[in-house]
Amino acid sequence: MENVVELKSVTKNFKGFSVENIDLQVKKGFVTGFIGANGAGKSTTIKMIMNLLRPDSGEVKLFGLDYTAHEKEIKERIGFVYDSNVFFEGMNLKDIKRIVAPAYKHWDDTLFYQYTDQFKLPLYKKIKTFSKGMQMKASLAIALSHHAELIIMDEPTAGLDPIFRRELLDLLQELMIDGNRTIFFSTHITTDLDRIADYIAFIQNGELVFNQSLNDVAENYALVKGGMELLDRDTEKSFVHIHRAPTGFEALTGNIKAVKNTFGDSVVIEKASLEDIMYYFKGGIHHV
Amino acid sequence: MFNLIRRDVILQKRLLLTFLPFILFFIFMDVHPTVTFLVANIFIPYNAFYYDEKAETNILLNSLPYTRKEIIGSRYLGAIVYMVLAVGVTSLALFALNKPFTMTDIAVGSGLFLLFAALTFPLFYILKPGHITTVILFSFILLVGIGPPIMSFLAEHLTAITDFVANLSLPVLYTGAVLAIVTLYGVSWGVTTMIYQRKSF
C-alpha cells in the first residue's frame, strides 16, 4: 500500500520535551486519526510533516518526496487546517482568498464559493468576528479549494459544538469518496475517530505507541476486570496498566489471547475504547 | 514571488489611504525633501512587518507552496518595488505642490532607506515579536536625531577619513556609496534568508 506521509526515525529535541524516533506511515486513500494527550507531541509531529519544524534527525517524506528539493511541489498537494486561526484576523474571507489563491496552481474559485455557500460563511466580515466554528469552516473551505490530495488537520474538532463536529465528520467522509484523498488529523476527542478513522496512530510522551487499523486496535486491546486475588507478579505482565480498587481491578491489555489463557473465565473482558487505551497508557508502565 | 509582494497591498489597503496625507503632512511641514522621500519609502515595507512578525502569518506562509527563500526574497524585492512606487507618488505630490526637489534628494532618501532596511530587516527575524517595532522606532530616531551630530563630530576629529572622502571626486563618491549600499543590502538579504531557514514555527 502506498504511503502519502512517511516519517523514519524522526527525532526532535526541545528543552524539557522531545519527540523521539517516530516511525509513522500515513496510507493513501484512508483517514488516519492521530491521538494522544495534550503535550504528547501531536502538534510537533504535524509541524514536522508541514516542514514548519525541521527534525534534528530522521527523514520526512511526503508523496515519496523530501522537502529539501520539492518543498513547493509537496505543499501544492496539501490542504491544511490548524487548531487556531492562522489567517490575518483583521481581514475578510474574500481578501484572504485573494492572498491564498494565487499561491496554488490548482486553485478552484467555483469550488471555494461552493464551500462558502455550503458553510454559510460571510465573505465581507472580518475573520476575528467569526466564531470558533466559523473560523474552522473558513480554514476548511480554503484547505479544500485547491484539490489537495492530502488534508492535514491539527485538532480540527477542538472547541466545536457537537453538531458542527458531526457535520465536519460527515463532510470529511464525503471527501473520502474520491479514493485518491488522504486525511490525517489529530484530535483528543476520540469518539470522532470511531466514526470516520481507518487507522489510528497513538502518540504518548513523544513516542509513537502504535499505528494500526481501527479493527486491529479493537482486536488487540481490551479492558479486563476481575478480583484482586487474581493479580500477582506473573499475571500482571499481560497488562499495560492496572487500576486497583478495593472491589477489584480493571486493566488494559494489549494481548487478549494471553489474558484468556491466563485467567480463563475468572475475568470479564470488555471492548476498550480509544479513550480507555489513552487513559491506561497515560498510567505508565509499557509492556507492549 | 509576485503574489507575495502583492500581498502587502491587499493587507494594507486601508492603511494605504493614509499614505498620501502622511506624505502631504511632511511636505506642508516643509521638511527637507530627502527626509520626505525617506519616510515615504519606509511606509509600506515597515507596516508589512506588523503582520509578518506574528507567528500565525509565518505558519500560514510556510504552509502555502512557498519556499522560505521566496518569503524573504519577497521582503527584500518588495522593499525595492514599493520604494520605486513611493518615490513616484512623492515626486508627483511635490511637483503638484510646486515644491522644488532634486534627483539628489531622491537618491539620498532612497539610499538611506536601503541602508536602514539592510540594517533592520534581519532584526525582525532575530528579535522576539513585540519588541521589534520599539527597537526599530528607536533606531530610526537615533539615526535621524543623533546620526548627523555624530557624523559632524567624526568629520571634525577624524580628519584622515574626511580628507580622504573630500578628496574623492563626486562620481567616485556616488559610485562608492551605491556599491556599498547595494553590497550591504545583498549581504543583509543573504543573512536574513539564512536566519529564516533555521527558524521553527
Side-chain angles (χ1 to χ4, degrees):
Chain A
M1 219 174 324
E2 208 179 322
N3 292 326
V4 171
V5 179
E6 211 162 349
L7 268 59
K8 268 190 202 146
S9 351
V10 167
T11 296
K12 177 84 194 173
N13 291 302
F14 297 102
K15 266 182 217 148
F17 174 71
S18 61
V19 168
E20 229 145 322
N21 247 324
I22 300 270
D23 283 294
L24 175 70
Q25 293 90 32
V26 177
K27 291 184 176 58
K28 187 178 171 170
F30 292 97
V31 177
T32 300
F34 191 31
I35 60 170
N38 290 328
K42 295 191 299 287
S43 290
T44 304
T45 309
I46 286 189
K47 282 181 174 181
M48 286 195 285
I49 294 175
M50 289 302 297
N51 201 31
L52 297 174
L53 266 182
R54 309 257 154 109
D56 296 336
S57 65
E59 199 180 69
V60 178
K61 276 194 169 171
L62 278 92
F63 312 103
L65 306 168
D66 68 9
Y67 271 111
T68 1
H70 304 278
E71 172 146 24
K72 293 176 83 161
E73 229 174 309
I74 294 173
K75 287 180 178 165
E76 193 74 60
R77 295 159 76 178
I78 302 179
F80 55 87
V81 173
Y82 294 117
D83 59 342
S84 61
N85 173 45
V86 293
F87 300 107
F88 312 94
E89 50 175 27
M91 306 189 74
N92 63 39
L93 198 52
K94 182 104 181 183
D95 281 336
I96 288 169
K97 192 217 78 173
R98 263 191 210 135
I99 290 174
V100 173
Y104 292 105
K105 282 189 198 123
H106 304 292
W107 181 269
D108 187 338
D109 251 5
T110 332
L111 195 58
F112 175 74
Y113 288 118
Q114 191 186 310
Y115 280 122
T116 51
D117 263 6
Q118 187 184 339
F119 298 160
K120 299 188 181 64
L121 291 168
L123 289 172
Y124 297 99
K125 261 178 97 179
K126 285 183 180 175
I127 290 280
K128 66 176 164 203
T129 65
F130 282 22
S131 67
K132 174 97 187 170
M134 277 162 76
Q135 285 186 1
M136 173 59 54
K137 285 180 190 175
S139 309
L140 203 60
I142 288 173
L144 298 178
S145 295
H146 60 97
H147 301 286
E149 293 162 53
L150 169 65
I151 311 230
I152 294 180
M153 298 184 285
D154 192 4
E155 306 274 357
T157 52
L160 298 182
D161 65 66
I163 298 165
F164 180 57
R165 268 208 347 252
R166 256 192 201 206
E167 279 172 26
L168 173 72
L169 296 177
D170 287 343
L171 178 79
L172 294 181
Q173 227 152 15
E174 242 169 73
L175 289 173
M176 292 307 291
I177 295 171
D178 170 5
N180 285 320
R181 275 248 171 71
T182 307
I183 296 180
F184 181 70
F185 80 106
S186 73
T187 181
H188 53 251
I189 305 172
T190 52
T191 45
D192 293 345
L193 297 170
D194 294 329
R195 292 170 55 93
I196 65 159
D198 303 296
Y199 288 88
I200 304 291
F202 174 33
I203 191 170
Q204 165 90 21
N205 297 330
E207 280 175 54
L208 194 72
V209 181
F210 61 73
N211 180 15
Q212 298 174 347
S213 74
L214 203 55
N215 278 338
D216 286 347
V217 174
E219 271 170 30
N220 293 336
Y221 291 93
L223 276 185
V224 181
K225 292 176 186 173
M228 289 296 286
E229 71 284 353
L230 297 169
L231 292 178
D232 59 44
R233 206 179 292 165
D234 279 332
T235 55
E236 279 177 17
K237 279 186 186 148
S238 357
F239 300 117
V240 173
H241 184 69
I242 303 166
H243 185 75
R244 292 161 210 269
T247 49
F249 76 93
E250 205 178 293
L252 180 79
T253 178
N255 192 344
I256 300 179
K257 225 186 222 167
V259 168
K260 279 184 181 156
N261 283 339
T262 319
F263 299 102
D265 286 340
S266 56
V267 290
V268 180
I269 299 179
E270 283 174 4
K271 188 176 181 285
S273 67
L274 289 170
E275 205 175 294
D276 293 328
I277 295 174
M278 276 169 74
Y279 171 76
Y280 280 96
F281 268 99
K282 188 82 187 168
I285 352 155
H286 299 238
H287 293 302
V288 204
Chain B
M1 186 85 102
F2 169 73
N3 294 323
L4 280 169
I5 296 175
R6 202 182 64 126
R7 163 180 81 99
D8 290 339
V9 180
I10 302 175
L11 279 172
Q12 298 185 39
K13 61 181 182 185
R14 285 228 178 73
L15 209 61
L16 280 177
L17 297 176
T18 61
F19 180 72
L20 214 55
F22 180 74
I23 300 303
L24 290 177
F25 172 77
F26 277 86
I27 295 175
F28 284 126
M29 292 297 285
D30 262 332
V31 174
H32 195 281
T34 307
V35 179
T36 310
F37 279 114
L38 177 60
V39 291
N41 287 337
I42 282 179
F43 196 85
I44 298 178
Y46 282 85
N47 273 324
F49 278 113
Y50 166 75
Y51 293 97
D52 273 16
E53 65 178 14
K54 293 191 173 152
E56 298 86 43
T57 307
N58 285 302
I59 292 177
L60 172 64
L61 291 181
N62 281 287
S63 301
L64 293 172
Y66 294 121
T67 60
R68 296 192 179 197
K69 246 188 211 148
E70 286 176 321
I71 294 169
I72 296 302
S74 76
R75 271 281 147 265
Y76 279 81
L77 269 185
I80 295 175
V81 171
Y82 290 119
M83 179 182 88
V84 172
L85 292 176
V87 163
V89 173
T90 312
S91 302
L92 277 178
L94 284 166
F95 186 72
L97 293 166
N98 255 331
K99 301 276 180 183
F101 66 98
T102 61
M103 282 306 282
T104 320
D105 295 329
I106 296 181
V108 175
S110 302
L112 280 178
F113 162 69
L114 289 178
L115 184 68
F116 188 62
L119 295 176
T120 53
F121 277 12
L123 296 180
F124 283 99
Y125 301 95
I126 298 172
L127 297 171
K128 278 202 188 106
H131 299 286
I132 304 158
T133 323
T134 331
V135 171
I136 304 293
L137 209 68
F138 200 64
S139 53
F140 183 71
I141 293 167
L142 273 183
L143 181 79
V144 177
I146 309 178
I150 290 180
M151 286 308 276
S152 44
F153 176 82
L154 289 178
E156 274 169 44
H157 293 84
L158 294 171
T159 38
I161 297 176
T162 37
D163 284 349
F164 171 73
V165 173
N167 283 334
L168 292 174
S169 64
L170 268 187
V172 174
L173 191 65
Y174 283 156
T175 323
V178 168
L179 276 181
I181 288 172
V182 168
T183 314
L184 201 65
Y185 199 70
V187 170
S188 166
W189 188 335
V191 168
T192 308
T193 307
M194 247 165 57
I195 296 169
Y196 197 65
Q197 273 175 332
R198 287 184 196 171
K199 279 191 96 134
S200 305
F201 301 108

